[in-house]
Amino acid sequence: TNAPVGFTPQAVTDTAASGTSTTVLSSAFGGTSSTTGLYLSTVSGANTSSATLTPTTTVTGVFTTSPAAPTQPGGTSYDGGDTRLAAATQVNNQIFFANSVLVSGLDEIQWGIIDGSSGVLQHLGLISMSGLYLTYPSIAANADGTFVISFNGSGSTSVIGDYYAVCSSVTFTCQNPVEDYTSPSSANNYDLLGGNRNRWGDYSWTTVDPTNPADFWLFQEYAQTNLSWGTVITQVSTAVQQTVPEPGSVLLLGNGVLAFGLLRRRRPRPY
């Protein structure tokens, strides 16, 4: 059952944590299918036979509508997923999360910051792009108050591409998204399983460079051709921004984007 753990629980990454307990964030369900918010749970007694997972609170105030099936120039739709969380990370006492939600007919990226002690939602934001469906985000944050969200997007006139946005937990704003990789036009009719069960973008990750917290690394899936995928690795430097991002100040390093055909002809994972 979904309760009391929730749907697709994600361990909250906290590199400064220690001890035998950790926090888990997941989509909360109020019944068989309706999402009511997020569950913030605690694992206690890890690495012991008496380990327990206990929900501490339901985080309310978030968008809870699952994303729609995105479109592509070739006309084939793909599975936009649902309100599951792909990643959650904690810095000091702030928990950062991101997921995809349906807002005014288009999929947008919802991001939020939760107080790690009380479970209260401190801030909530949305990232949108005109005419594009945005899905499968991942998120990472550093101690300077900067966080980066990477995701994919497509539309009826836009081939699937990989994007990221640099945000600040000081100003609670995000810069305009940057497209760091565009799939070739030969991938504009991506089709594998038929209908809206096609999957694309859910093998992605964002992380802080452990040796330089001002740098973020993005690992994003992209479409090479129909039935063929690759991984693009992007290094994003936010050193010039410190804690207050300014438009146009993101540095995409000249040698910071690498594309690899690593995931050729594999079937996307099922639900």
Side-chain angles (χ1 to χ4, degrees), residues 18 30 37 44-46 49 54 68 93 106 119 134 163 182 188 199 211 233 259:
S18 62
S44 301
S49 59
T54 306
N93 197 44
L106 285 175
L134 310 181
Y163 298 82
T182 303
N188 69 356
R199 298 288 289 272
T211 62
I233 302 174

Side-chain angles (χ1 to χ4, degrees), residues 131-148:
L132 293 186
Y133 293 82
L134 310 181
T135 54
Y136 295 110
S138 59
I139 188 170
N142 66 23
D144 292 332
T146 300
F147 61 100
V148 174

Side-chain angles (χ1 to χ4, degrees), residues 10 78-82 84-87 135-138 151-152 160 162 190 197-205 219-222 229 263 266-271:
Q10 292 291 329
Y78 65 92
D79 191 344
D82 43 45
R84 69 182 62 197
L85 302 171
T135 54
Y136 295 110
S138 59
F151 51 92
N152 61 265
I160 293 173
D162 293 312
Y190 166 70
R197 293 297 297 171
N198 302 313
R199 298 288 289 272
W200 190 88
D202 48 336
Y203 290 87
S204 301
W205 190 252
F219 303 83
Q220 296 168 283
E221 186 177 20
Y222 73 95
W229 302 265
L263 306 177
R266 59 153 174 76
R267 294 179 63 86
R269 63 190 178 201
Y271 281 109

Side-chain angles (χ1 to χ4, degrees), residues 22-269:
T22 190
T23 303
V24 177
L25 193 64
S26 59
S27 295
F29 279 73
T32 57
S33 61
S34 62
T35 307
T36 60
L38 303 173
Y39 277 143
L40 187 64
S41 309
T42 301
V43 176
S44 301
N47 300 322
T48 70
S49 59
S50 59
T52 58
L53 174 62
T54 306
T56 56
T57 186
T58 299
V59 181
T60 59
V62 299
F63 288 90
T64 57
T65 304
S66 293
T71 59
Q72 302 167 82
T76 303
S77 62
Y78 65 92
D79 191 344
D82 43 45
T83 56
R84 69 182 62 197
L85 302 171
T89 186
Q90 181 167 347
V91 178
N92 298 322
N93 197 44
Q94 292 183 312
I95 297 174
F96 298 78
F97 71 89
N99 61 348
S100 182
V101 293
L102 182 65
V103 180
S104 301
L106 285 175
D107 300 334
E108 300 185 7
I109 303 302
Q110 171 179 242
W111 62 267
I113 303 175
I114 301 170
D115 183 280
S117 299
S118 65
V120 173
L121 182 67
Q122 294 179 324
H123 296 278
L124 188 72
L126 291 169
I127 297 174
S128 63
M129 299 181 70
S130 178
L132 293 186
Y133 293 82
L134 310 181
T135 54
Y136 295 110
S138 59
I139 188 170
N142 66 23
D144 292 332
T146 300
F147 61 100
V148 174
I149 304 171
S150 64
F151 51 92
N152 61 265
S154 73
S156 59
T157 60
S158 300
V159 178
I160 293 173
D162 293 312
Y163 298 82
Y164 70 87
V166 178
C167 310
S168 170
S169 62
V170 176
T171 62
F172 304 109
T173 58
C174 292
Q175 294 184 19
N176 290 330
V178 175
E179 185 174 18
D180 57 304
Y181 193 84
T182 303
S183 293
S185 58
S186 57
N188 69 356
N189 194 25
Y190 166 70
D191 191 3
L192 180 63
L193 302 178
N196 64 0
R197 293 297 297 171
N198 302 313
R199 298 288 289 272
W200 190 88
D202 48 336
Y203 290 87
S204 301
W205 190 252
T206 302
T207 188
V208 176
D209 191 312
T211 62
N212 183 4
D215 286 355
F216 291 76
W217 290 89
L218 320 180
F219 303 83
Q220 296 168 283
E221 186 177 20
Y222 73 95
Q224 294 179 308
T225 62
N226 289 350
L227 308 184
S228 182
W229 302 265
T231 298
V232 59
I233 302 174
T234 308
Q235 181 183 13
V236 177
S237 175
T238 64
V240 295
Q241 300 168 15
Q242 299 301 320
T243 58
V244 184
E246 295 293 340
S249 61
V250 180
L251 298 181
L252 182 60
L253 302 187
N255 294 321
V257 179
L258 302 174
F260 297 96
L262 300 178
L263 306 177
R264 300 182 64 86
R265 296 189 181 280
R266 59 153 174 76
R267 294 179 63 86
R269 63 190 178 201

